[in-house]
Amino acid sequence: MNVLINEAKLQKRIQQMAKEIESEYQGKQIVFLGILKGSVPFLWELAKNIRNDIRFEFIEVSSYEGTESTGNIKINKDITHNITGKDVIIVEDIVDTGRTLSFLKQYLLEKQPNSLKIATLLSKPSRRVIEIGVDYIGFEIEDKFVVGFGLDYDQQYRNLPYVGYIE
Ligand code: IMP
Ligand code: MG
């Protein structure tokens, strides 16, 4: 396993993102809507550095993929509280093609939140198929398959404290 982003770098960058969110939301309540399972470490690192009243919601999705991902996304576990009128930030581990977030954004907008933003720890801009506006990006990375800090390879490696890649 090779280290791409070590623990100290992750922590430092996430703390900066937290400050940015804190100053933009000025004491408002925020709903962190985490996409299971990969977003959990990032969501927690971000949330614990923000002093606003933060509520947690989680959603789990999976995409039916044949050889190429089709964008047919299924909700396995839905949110449990109403987000109508709330200030929501979708929290994701990585934006790759953009299909998951594009689907989720549409789905969640139908519930009429007061605002809806997106925060992702990682982004692979060269892989984007659907252009999607991402409000907070931790790190832009090249087209490499990464694991750790929530990200998995076949459900493995999520608990690594850093972001790494396998040769
Ligand atoms: P998208 O719909 O193509 O943007 O897919 C995003 C999802 O694909 C993420 O939530 C991850 O679960 C997964 N994914 C994309 N790239 C990687 C990677 O490098 N490592 C682990 N999971 C990834
Ligand atoms: Mg994911």
Side-chain angles (χ1 to χ4, degrees):
M1 188 67 64
N2 301 279
V3 179
L4 184 66
I5 310 169
N6 68 30
E7 259 186 285
K9 267 178 103 173
L10 286 167
Q11 240 181 41
K12 190 170 168 223
R13 177 67 188 126
I14 297 170
Q15 279 168 15
Q16 288 174 347
M17 295 172 87
K19 290 300 142 228
E20 205 182 320
I21 291 171
E22 215 176 56
S23 73
E24 284 176 27
Y25 286 79
Q26 300 276 0
K28 282 186 197 162
Q29 185 190 88
I30 312 169
V31 176
F32 268 21
L33 202 155
I35 307 179
L36 291 173
K37 311 180 175 86
S39 71
V40 171
F42 172 49
L43 181 140
W44 170 236
E45 195 63 37
L46 198 57
K48 75 181 185 193
N49 286 291
I50 295 175
R51 276 156 302 182
N52 296 53
D53 171 6
I54 300 182
R55 308 294 168 99
F56 291 177
E57 284 296 320
F58 294 97
I59 194 164
E60 184 177 343
V61 296
S62 58
S63 51
Y64 289 122
E65 284 176 26
T67 45
E68 239 298 281
S69 95
T70 56
N72 281 334
I73 288 152
K74 182 181 149 230
I75 294 170
N76 298 328
K77 183 208 168 292
D78 208 342
I79 57 172
T80 52
H81 289 76
N82 193 1
I83 58 162
T84 304
K86 303 285 186 182
D87 292 300
V88 178
I89 300 179
I90 303 175
V91 182
E92 174 62 308
D93 51 5
I94 188 165
V95 186
D96 188 33
T97 64
R99 286 181 169 124
T100 306
L101 278 177
S102 143
F103 167 85
L104 273 179
K105 202 173 171 181
Q106 253 176 295
Y107 174 74
L108 295 168
L109 280 175
E110 283 168 20
K111 300 182 185 293
Q112 298 187 292
N114 181 54
S115 66
L116 185 65
K117 288 197 178 189
I118 297 174
T120 187
L121 178 64
L122 306 173
S123 172
K124 288 184 200 169
S126 68
R127 294 262 309 162
R128 215 54 48 83
V129 171
I130 300 178
E131 263 330 304
I132 172 116
V134 183
D135 305 278
Y136 308 101
I137 298 175
F139 301 88
E140 290 199 336
I141 62 168
E142 56 182 294
D143 183 8
K144 232 182 194 120
F145 195 84
V146 290
V147 295
F149 211 78
L151 292 132
D152 73 304
Y153 172 68
D154 237 353
Q155 301 304 320
Q156 204 182 342
Y157 306 119
R158 292 195 195 276
N159 61 315
L160 292 178
Y162 55 85
V163 173
Y165 61 97
I166 308 155
E167 284 290 11

